[in-house]
Amino acid sequence: MKYIYELHKTMVARNLILVYEGEFTQEITKSVLAMAERNMDAAGEDSAVKRKVFNVMVECLQNIVKHSDAMPVDDNNGKSTNLAIFIIGKQEDKYIITSGNSISNDKVQMLQERLETINSLDKDGLKELYKKIIKEGSLSEKGGAGLGFVDMARKSGQKLQFDFEPINDKVSFFSLKTTIYRNEG
Amino acid sequence: MEVINYPGTEDTPKIILDRNNGIFEISGRSLPEDSAEFYEPVLAWLEEYAKNPNPETTFIFKLEYFNTASSKLILDILSKLESISNTTVDWYFHEDDEDMEEAGCEFSELVEVPFSFKKY
């Protein structure tokens, strides 16, 4: 049972207020949002900060629901699972929203280029990109507008941090971290 | 025409489209799992309404939050309104919600419909 205490200590040391690991669906998304909102309300968080955190959480969670690729699992029934992790950390001056999910290797380059493009743009550049995509784009078959990362960068006002960790020759683990400062409203 | 009256839920907005009473309003939160499917009846309703609209139409957006997939559908709704003469959009935003105010400004730059911005 010692792992419970270890996990608890890790969460406290890293200031994690919410960790969810498992299957991601719209229902789970709503539950996670409701928990995080209650947590921020209880802490008397500023409404502008609350809105930005909520905004980034939605895009992050719905990205996982729509785009996470099933990772083949070598268990007895050979079932593929679509597991991911979502973490909210809160420090004195900021909220840190982190997610991790598996994606198929053939999407890594495209994703990396898209994130690098977004990170190379300033506030006005992001606004122009947003308007260009919304005007020209149509919803993908998965119902995404291709605007999620752009919106996360705009609402947070920070660069998106990301990493790809190869799992095997089919999938990689994609981690994404967005920081929202509490004092910049 | 039939009235569209959706009560809001935690992930879908409240929508009233009532031609006889001149109420056209979308409010609350919009982050449905499938935004295209959710807004499809609204777009179909507007398509029908555009054929024989009221002399004046004021369309109210009073959104607390919308996700990016919904933003695409909001633009589709606004594009439908472009074809209805004497239409104005009342875009409401909470007084400390600069992002919602800016979102309204951006939409207003993308369509040929007059916007009036209202703080609450």
Side-chain angles (χ1 to χ4, degrees):
Chain A
M1 300 285 274
K2 199 171 183 316
Y3 75 98
I4 299 173
Y5 183 48
E6 293 299 327
L7 189 57
H8 170 74
K9 280 197 294 190
T10 302
M11 286 187 67
V12 171
R14 290 182 169 263
N15 297 297
L16 308 181
I17 58 175
L18 192 152
V19 178
Y20 173 81
E21 206 282 332
E23 190 191 7
F24 280 71
T25 63
Q26 174 78 357
E27 290 308 310
I28 297 289
T29 295
K30 287 194 282 186
S31 305
V32 169
L33 290 171
M35 273 190 279
E37 270 197 296
R38 272 200 292 274
N39 187 301
M40 288 190 286
D41 282 338
E45 190 53 79
D46 175 70
S47 62
V49 174
K50 238 165 38 183
R51 266 196 295 271
K52 285 183 192 292
V53 172
F54 186 85
N55 208 301
V56 170
M57 284 194 299
V58 172
E59 296 303 329
C60 194
L61 290 162
Q62 291 192 324
N63 263 348
I64 301 174
V65 174
K66 290 195 171 92
H67 300 295
S68 185
D69 291 319
M71 184 164 62
V73 177
D74 296 322
D75 60 10
N76 292 334
N77 60 16
K79 213 176 97 185
S80 288
T81 48
N82 199 1
L83 300 183
I85 189 163
F86 179 81
I87 303 166
I88 306 171
K90 180 185 174 185
Q91 298 176 8
E92 195 61 36
D93 59 339
K94 61 193 171 200
Y95 283 92
I96 300 165
I97 295 159
T98 318
S99 64
N101 60 272
S102 46
I103 58 156
S104 138
N105 282 340
D106 56 18
K107 289 185 195 160
V108 170
Q109 198 190 343
M110 178 271 294
L111 210 50
Q112 182 159 359
E113 283 170 3
R114 187 184 292 187
L115 287 161
E116 279 167 359
T117 301
I118 289 167
N119 280 346
S120 73
L121 298 171
D122 62 5
K123 196 167 182 271
D124 290 337
L126 287 169
K127 178 180 169 151
E128 288 315 307
L129 179 61
Y130 185 92
K131 284 169 79 171
K132 181 175 183 285
I133 298 173
I134 196 172
K135 205 160 55 181
E136 295 172 1
S138 53
L139 292 183
S140 71
E141 59 184 77
K142 288 178 176 172
L147 290 165
F149 294 140
V150 184
D151 193 55
M152 288 161 76
R154 291 188 77 192
K155 296 287 157 55
S156 67
Q158 303 298 318
K159 303 292 177 204
L160 305 173
Q161 291 171 267
F162 58 90
D163 186 46
F164 299 95
E165 188 70 38
I167 296 172
N168 56 35
D169 60 350
K170 293 204 172 54
V171 291
S172 292
F173 195 74
F174 168 49
S175 314
L176 181 68
K177 182 164 146 184
T178 310
T179 304
I180 293 149
Y181 282 91
R182 297 175 66 199
N183 49 10
E184 289 177 7
Chain B
M1 278 182 82
E2 273 182 45
V3 172
I4 285 190
N5 189 345
Y6 297 166
T9 70
E10 56 184 328
D11 62 348
T12 58
K14 176 183 161 112
I15 302 182
I16 303 174
L17 297 174
D18 181 343
R19 178 209 182 96
N20 291 344
N21 292 304
I23 303 172
F24 312 90
E25 182 173 338
I26 299 182
S27 60
R29 288 184 171 186
S30 181
L31 54 139
E33 180 163 25
D34 186 338
S35 58
E37 183 186 76
F38 177 78
Y39 283 103
E40 198 277 325
V42 174
L43 291 168
W45 192 96
L46 286 171
E47 183 86 41
E48 193 60 31
Y49 175 76
K51 290 176 188 164
N52 182 21
N54 291 353
E56 286 180 10
T57 306
T58 302
F59 204 103
I60 294 172
F61 285 93
K62 196 174 182 177
L63 291 160
E64 182 195 326
Y65 170 76
F66 59 87
N67 67 353
T68 54
S70 298
S71 68
K72 178 68 193 154
L73 273 300
I74 291 169
L75 184 62
D76 290 347
I77 291 170
L78 292 168
S79 302
K80 283 263 187 292
L81 298 179
E82 276 184 324
S83 62
I84 302 169
S85 50
N86 294 321
T87 296
T88 52
V89 168
D90 281 356
W91 186 272
Y92 284 81
F93 59 95
H94 191 265
E95 56 180 356
D96 67 2
D97 194 352
E98 285 170 21
D99 289 329
M100 188 56 76
E101 182 181 10
E102 194 178 350
C105 287
E106 284 167 15
F107 281 126
S108 73
E109 291 162 16
L110 291 167
V111 290
E112 298 291 324
V113 181
F115 272 56
S116 123
F117 292 92
K118 298 182 186 279
K119 223 181 254 192
Y120 68 92

